[in-house]
Amino acid sequence: MQLIIVSGRSGSGKTIALRVLEDLGFYCVDNLPITLLPTLVHAIEAQYENVAVSVDVRNLPKSQDELNDAIDFLPDAITPEILYLDSSDQILLQRFGETRRLHPLSHHEMPLSEALQKEMRLLEPLAERATWRIESSELSVHQLSEQVSERVLGRAASRLIVVFQSFGFKYGLPPDLDYAFDARILPNPHWEPALKPLTGSDPAVQHFFAQQPLVTKFVYQVENFLATWLPHFQRSNRSYLTIGIGCTGGQHRSVYIAEQLAERFQNHEFKVQVRHREGFRRK
């Protein structure tokens, strides 16, 4: 049996994730008290191959020991995978404001901002055990659904999905990275007036980088590192790996290097994707 526990802060997309899993053929249980998980599994393991349960802050036991017991004392053949979703406080506040829903912890006139912080603390033991994490702040409903589907299908097919994501350090480090490489030490086209408004996807910027030995060396060494270790991730049944390439603004260096690496791994046994967090897209 494949068992997926879906959790995360309210408003981060748990309902959407569970709906996707149901569409993929999972038997889904919403808002299950985590202490009842062993009972549920024993009751249905002979009937269903794929099961997903969502757990929110209201379903957690009072002690971490009870939480650990509920997850650890499952049948030996079942190793639960935990999908943990989260978003920034600002986005969650915005979502609750738009829907006018009441936060599960917003009782006794507790401000929403305090409820979100308390929820984060209470969910921390579960978050620490997460198999997959998805940061949904910048994701549309369609993009979130796609990511959940990709991770589950990649796991089922034993095919590693490798995502090369460019980003700008000045906008913060993406929270869902498995690796992060810092390209800020490399020559920057930002200081070339003709190249400044372009991106790393543009031919003129690509030509600029192709003439820079330091950039070529950077790409070559990161490629060698990944070529060594990606097969190990594949063999360990890892389904999803996000590799971040960061520069100052996420416009030139990180975009170029992410696309170069994606191109070099395109014909491997992995499924390769490119994402440009700061809004740039492949042309």
Side-chain angles (χ1 to χ4, degrees):
M1 175 194 287
Q2 182 182 7
L3 173 63
I4 298 178
I5 300 171
V6 180
S7 190
R9 289 200 287 175
S10 302
S12 59
K14 296 192 301 297
T15 301
I16 295 169
L18 201 67
R19 189 183 307 142
V20 171
L21 292 170
E22 188 170 31
D23 290 343
L24 292 174
F26 279 72
Y27 175 77
C28 295
V29 180
D30 196 9
N31 290 331
L32 179 77
I34 193 72
T35 53
L36 295 181
L37 182 61
T39 303
L40 173 71
V41 169
H42 283 288
I44 66 174
E45 63 176 324
Q47 297 175 261
Y48 301 99
E49 292 184 3
N50 301 303
V51 176
V53 300
S54 75
V55 176
D56 72 14
V57 70
R58 295 167 294 185
N59 309 136
L60 294 177
K62 292 182 179 180
S63 75
Q64 187 169 341
D65 288 341
E66 288 182 85
L67 172 65
N68 292 335
D69 288 347
I71 296 175
D72 293 337
F73 293 112
L74 293 170
D76 293 338
I78 299 174
T79 302
E81 302 166 76
I82 299 175
L83 168 58
Y84 190 85
L85 298 105
D86 204 2
S87 293
S88 68
D89 286 359
Q90 179 182 354
I91 293 296
L92 293 177
L93 287 167
Q94 179 182 322
R95 288 174 181 170
F96 273 99
E98 291 171 350
T99 62
R100 299 187 179 181
R101 290 177 52 228
L102 188 65
H103 189 277
L105 298 179
S106 290
H107 48 74
H108 305 306
E109 299 183 353
M110 179 185 291
L112 179 56
S113 57
E114 290 183 19
L116 290 172
Q117 289 302 308
K118 182 177 181 180
E119 184 180 29
M120 179 184 290
R121 292 194 300 272
L122 292 173
L123 287 171
E124 187 174 353
L126 199 55
E128 288 176 349
R129 301 184 60 142
T131 310
W132 315 325
R133 299 180 72 102
I134 295 180
E135 218 290 342
S136 66
S137 296
E138 304 298 327
L139 300 179
S140 65
V141 171
H142 174 74
Q143 290 169 327
L144 175 57
S145 300
E146 189 176 65
Q147 284 204 26
V148 173
S149 180
E150 284 174 352
R151 296 187 186 208
V152 174
L153 293 175
R155 170 72 173 81
S158 297
R159 186 184 183 195
L160 180 65
I161 299 171
V162 181
V163 179
F164 292 99
Q165 178 171 297
S166 70
F167 68 92
F169 275 100
K170 73 177 184 179
Y171 302 113
L173 191 71
D176 56 350
L177 298 182
D178 295 293
Y179 285 101
F181 294 94
D182 188 347
R184 288 176 294 184
I185 56 171
L186 302 178
N188 191 355
H190 175 84
W191 305 112
E192 300 287 335
L195 302 180
K196 181 177 179 180
L198 304 178
T199 79
S201 298
D202 289 300
V205 176
Q206 293 175 350
H207 178 75
F208 170 87
F209 283 131
Q211 309 306 310
Q212 306 293 330
L214 199 61
V215 174
T216 301
K217 184 176 182 180
F218 185 96
V219 173
Y220 173 76
Q221 292 190 339
V222 172
E223 178 189 4
N224 277 347
F225 173 82
L226 295 175
T228 299
W229 295 108
L230 287 181
H232 292 276
F233 282 103
Q234 174 104 313
R235 286 195 289 271
S236 67
N237 290 326
R238 183 70 175 264
S239 63
Y240 210 87
L241 196 74
T242 304
I243 299 163
I245 311 295
C247 61
T248 303
Q251 179 177 339
H252 296 109
R253 293 166 289 185
S254 61
V255 171
Y256 172 80
I257 294 168
E259 295 196 352
Q260 285 291 306
L261 291 169
E263 184 177 331
R264 296 177 189 213
F265 285 97
Q266 198 67 55
N267 295 322
H268 287 62
E269 65 271 29
F270 320 113
K271 181 178 180 180
V272 175
Q273 299 177 357
V274 180
R275 294 191 185 130
H276 300 311
R277 190 186 70 173
E278 315 313 344
F280 303 107
R281 295 291 180 265
R282 304 188 75 177
K283 294 185 177 181

